[in-house]
Amino acid sequence: MRSGRLLSPEKTIEGKLLQKFRGSERLTDRLAAVLIKGCAFVAIVALVLIFVFIGKEALPIFTSPEVRTEADLGKLLLPQPERGFVWQPVSERPAYSILPLLAGTLKATIIAVVFAVPLAVAAALFTSEFATPWAREVIKPAIEILAGIPSVVVGFFCLMVLAGWLQSAFGWTYRLNATTAGIGLSLAVIPIVYTVSEDAFSSVPQRFRDGSVAMGASRWQTAWRVVLPGASPGVLAACVLGFGRAIGETMIVLMASGNAAVLSWSASDSIRTFSATIAAELGEVVMGSPHYHVLFFIGAFLFVLTFFINLTGQWWVGRLQKKLRGGS
Amino acid sequence: MRDIKGVTPKLETRALDLFYGHFHALKQVSVSIRPRAITAIIGPSGCGKSTLLRVFNRMNDTIPGVRLSGEVLLDGQSIYSRNTDIQRLRKKVGMVFQRPNPFPLSVFENVAYGPKIHRLANSGDLHEQVEASLKQTGLWDDLKGRLNASALSLSPEQQQRLCISRLLAVEPEVLLMDEPCSALDPIATAQIEELLMQLKTQYTIAIVTHNMQQAARISDETAYMLLGELVEVGQTNAVFTRPRDPRTEQYISGRFG
């Protein structure tokens, strides 16, 4: 037996080396942590600052007397004498009703979502449940590449090709209208809804499918009655993401919607959306003018709208998940 | 192949060979499964017992690269002939899995699933059928107030009972059980075993199990498999007390496995 003298680790050479090494390791660890925290912080601060800046520029709608004589909240939202709801910011007597823009935005977005969601979810269900592995390897990347196409290219396609086809197919008066823009938007929405819901379908455990098939259900019944309900939170999340993309997308609607601020229920009238209005007008607006502040107000409104849609979506997804997993 | 005292077997294989690609998983297996009795299939891991079970409702069909030769008969009719309706076969020959796998739906929808897909009941009868199936497995009293709760919120034992109820609702003839208790604790296991003893008066049950005590406790017949071969099959008592094959004796006396 060796003597009872135990060397504490700091006193041996190996111990000292190890400590030195550990010290430097701890330093890099700490550096990495600081770096990562810093990045996260910058991202969040940037987000907050964007909102603060937009909010600040939108505020005169409520506070500044000069701006309010031309454009207060009532003039933006309520019908104006003789003119009703008109968006004519650049004229002798400017009118700033945002209702035609809201209608245009909602029309394009809803058409896009109605068009894209069934297609994308069905395509996702097909690739996840029915396609051969070979077909899946082709279809999935192909649809995902669609997300990578610059929206200006999609817009160009809508403007030059799609609009003509649709007009001759339906005999519309206006070549560029809400439906053209909505279908164009759906090209941007489909890849998002497809990818997210395909992941949701694929992550439904195989044992659910086995259980269903072992009872004599067909693959179709299994996909429709077991896989789809099992993936419903993911599919809903996909739809919310798709909606957010549709409402904020700018270039496609700018090119394919006609940009006429018409307030109507018709899906074949031209429209002007919030995002396209900001893009088209902010470059030429007089800084500090009522028009300038109204555009920022629209931006803030769009920001708040998408924020609440996402919030509601997440709450709903959470509720579905809870219902599915139990624990009521 | 063994003739069992003049009883026509419910399920039967004759000289069954099965390959996964080049792997010879079942070798010349000939076995008969008696109606309204529990047949246990025992053997070490990888011996082909689950594969054999899955042959009976053609669940191996979903695995790519499976080849099979020999005969598999249900009530004397081949189930691998060209005109076999697989969905009808699986309705008659249901399966309970190792891990309870209730669907991510409500308790009610889980049990109603089979009757709905096989169009067995109109909506009025559906409720009665769900109730009857839940009563058969002893779940009704616990769950009658929670029929709309998610099936995934139940305890593992309740989930496994629910999976059995779900099968019973399609009025099957054969229940195939692939280690149905391996995910359950001993008390839950005992309860499921008791349930199986009740069910065997109406159904033909084939159960794959790792647990030799379980086989000895509940089964009427036992089949012992090793490396894809059926080593021995007979009355459970006889197999456990007077095994004819030395390999069976080695296994049941715990020398390997």
Side-chain angles (χ1 to χ4, degrees), chain A residues 106 109-110 113 189 193 238-248 306 309:
Chain A
L106 290 182
T109 306
I110 288 167
V113 169
V189 174
V193 178
C239 296
V240 173
L241 277 177
F243 195 89
R245 174 74 208 264
I247 207 166
T306 43
I309 285 167

Side-chain angles (χ1 to χ4, degrees), chain B residues 128-172:
Chain B
E128 283 168 30
Q129 208 159 2
V130 169
E131 182 177 337
S133 304
L134 286 172
K135 275 182 174 158
Q136 269 182 292
T137 58
L139 273 180
W140 176 251
D141 287 331
D142 289 340
L143 296 185
K144 62 186 169 194
R146 290 165 59 197
L147 293 179
N148 289 320
S150 167
L152 304 187
S153 68
L154 304 181
S155 73
E157 189 225 335
Q158 286 179 320
Q159 290 192 6
Q160 198 60 297
R161 277 177 190 262
L162 186 67
C163 291
I164 297 171
S165 309
R166 181 173 81 183
L167 271 192
L168 300 183
V170 297
E171 297 154 16

